Amino acid sequence: MDEDNRLIDSYLKEGDESALEGLVIKYRKEVYLVAYRVAGDVEDAKDIAQKAFINAVAKLRDFKRQSSFRTWLYRIAVNAALNHVRGNGHKTEELPETLQSEDKGAVSHMIEKEQEHRLKGMLAALPPRQRLSVILRVYKGLSLTETAAVMGCSEGAVKSHYHSAIQKLKAAVAGKEGVN
Amino acid sequence: MHSGHDDIKDMLHAYLHGTLSKDNAARVMGHLEQCDECAGEFCIAEALLKIEAPDPGDVYFNNLTNVVMAAARAKNTPKGFNLWQYLLRPAALTAAASLSLIIYLFIFNHGNFHSVQTANTSHTYTVSDILASDDMLASLEEEYGDDSSSDDSNVEDLL
């Protein structure tokens, strides 16, 4: 993370464009993936990632380094994604009422492509903050503190959102009830 | 709940991403065998991680970088040396001020000329009027006699 700060300083103080380019190259895939997980659509994710980076560059002088650059950038990406999703109306996939499984305890069956598709649909159908907590914790491997910083809420709230999300996903996978 | 359940729960994602130390990884593995709640959460997270995101390709990512860099350059341009800001704008402002001053002076002088001319013309008209009235008086005197202080009867006749 010190490397990120060094690159930021190099760009802001010395006008070194290659430093900024290095930051973009380092995080472009991660930002795209966050955007894709939130929006659930490749084309939307491409637009969101671009908007997020342009927004981040425009605000770079406002980055106070209270969190890591990665966390700060994720927050911008998540906000851009949520705004995009709100603007377009959230397109969620039709979910099965329940997911029947012969072996209800065996989540390992979810590795099958069709079941992965269903799990993806279930994730997309979660309320935004619950979905975000899963995306940031599971996909991005952020700590509770980092997730709270990205989501702009307390660690307790992240725990609560994440717990609710996992319970709903577990229940849906086990075929007990729908996600909603 | 097992002892250290919350600690293990907090370590699940690090375990999932393979970033835990060997000791902690062993603790998590041991806990997952005993705790259904954590095992269920771990399985869900593991299944979610297996859902791949489509790769938009290098062309997109390279283009993304170019677009972002272009936006950064565009943003920084006004902060560097700017010909318009430092040379052309002051020159344009000076020219505009000079032109305004010239127009003002022209209007001011032109206006005074007219007012002087109007005053002269007015004076001329006054003299003309006097002359005209003298001519009129002369013709009246010629017609009605040389008594300039004509009496009321003559006036009445005139009327």
Side-chain angles (χ1 to χ4, degrees):
Chain A
M1 297 308 158
D2 287 343
E3 173 66 9
D4 290 351
N5 286 331
R6 192 189 63 74
L7 290 171
I8 291 167
D9 286 340
S10 186
Y11 171 66
L12 291 180
K13 293 176 183 171
E14 298 158 29
D16 182 3
E17 286 191 0
S18 65
L20 180 66
E21 193 171 8
L23 279 172
V24 176
I25 290 170
K26 181 177 178 183
Y27 288 109
R28 62 190 182 184
K29 285 190 180 175
E30 287 196 45
V31 168
Y32 161 78
L33 285 173
V34 168
Y36 176 76
R37 298 294 184 196
V38 176
D41 180 84
V42 177
E43 293 307 315
D44 285 349
K46 286 179 181 178
D47 290 344
I48 292 164
Q50 185 170 305
K51 280 181 196 167
F53 270 114
I54 290 174
N55 203 6
V57 170
K59 292 178 176 175
L60 198 55
R61 286 181 193 279
D62 299 332
F63 173 48
K64 295 183 174 61
R65 319 203 182 190
Q66 290 166 345
S67 62
S68 68
F69 174 71
R70 181 185 182 224
T71 302
W72 182 77
L73 183 61
Y74 276 5
R75 183 163 190 167
I76 289 175
V78 162
N79 284 336
L82 289 178
N83 286 336
H84 189 91
V85 166
R86 280 189 209 110
N88 286 355
H90 192 187
K91 295 171 281 183
T92 52
E93 295 180 41
E94 192 77 21
L95 293 181
E97 285 292 318
T98 55
L99 182 64
Q100 297 297 334
S101 170
E102 288 180 7
D103 179 3
K104 291 184 178 180
V107 183
S108 58
H109 285 273
M110 296 300 292
I111 61 174
E112 298 296 331
K113 284 292 173 192
E114 177 59 25
Q115 288 169 321
E116 282 181 7
H117 181 72
R118 288 181 183 180
L119 190 57
K120 184 183 163 189
M122 291 168 197
L123 178 65
L126 289 173
R129 298 192 79 77
Q130 290 181 15
R131 191 166 75 249
L132 263 183
S133 67
V134 173
I135 290 167
L136 296 173
R137 294 281 279 145
V138 175
Y139 287 111
K140 307 318 299 177
L142 297 191
S143 67
L144 268 177
T145 310
E146 288 172 323
T147 307
V150 172
M151 291 177 63
C153 61
S154 67
E155 290 182 24
V158 172
K159 274 187 182 175
S160 172
H161 288 311
Y162 181 74
H163 181 73
S164 300
I166 292 295
Q167 291 309 310
K168 285 178 183 176
L169 291 174
K170 268 191 198 172
V173 167
K176 289 177 187 170
E177 57 187 71
V179 171
N180 297 317
Chain B
M1 293 287 164
H2 305 281
S3 147
H5 173 82
D6 288 340
D7 291 343
I8 299 290
K9 220 172 167 54
D10 287 342
M11 289 194 280
L12 275 183
H13 300 99
Y15 178 69
L16 199 63
H17 288 271
T19 55
L20 277 184
S21 65
K22 279 186 181 177
D23 288 348
N24 279 335
R27 277 182 68 201
V28 172
M29 279 175 69
H31 181 79
L32 287 177
E33 287 171 6
Q34 300 167 14
C35 177
D36 289 343
E37 185 187 336
C38 287
E41 181 179 330
F42 180 77
C43 286
I44 289 288
E46 197 174 34
L48 285 169
L49 269 182
K50 285 178 179 164
I51 301 173
E52 291 177 359
D55 183 357
D58 288 342
V59 173
Y60 163 72
F61 285 121
N62 290 336
N63 185 51
L64 170 70
T65 307
N66 292 336
V67 169
V68 174
M69 294 309 295
R73 280 181 207 115
K75 184 181 177 291
N76 285 338
T77 302
K79 288 182 178 172
F81 179 77
N82 186 305
L83 195 63
W84 167 252
Q85 187 175 356
Y86 292 104
L87 287 177
L88 297 181
R89 191 165 65 179
L93 286 173
T94 308
S98 303
L99 188 63
S100 301
L101 186 63
I102 289 166
I103 290 171
Y104 173 76
L105 290 173
F106 176 78
I107 291 171
F108 180 78
N109 288 331
H110 192 65
N112 280 351
F113 172 75
H114 262 295
S115 61
V116 169
Q117 192 177 43
T118 306
N120 288 341
T121 308
S122 170
H123 179 72
T124 306
Y125 285 148
T126 307
V127 171
S128 302
D129 287 345
I130 291 166
L131 290 174
S133 62
D134 283 351
D135 288 345
M136 194 179 290
L137 274 173
S139 62
L140 284 172
E141 282 171 4
E142 196 175 302
E143 193 171 349
Y144 296 102
D146 62 351
D147 186 6
S148 57
S149 58
S150 56
D151 57 20
D152 291 345
S153 61
N154 285 340
V155 173
E156 282 172 6
D157 287 344
L158 281 172
L159 295 172

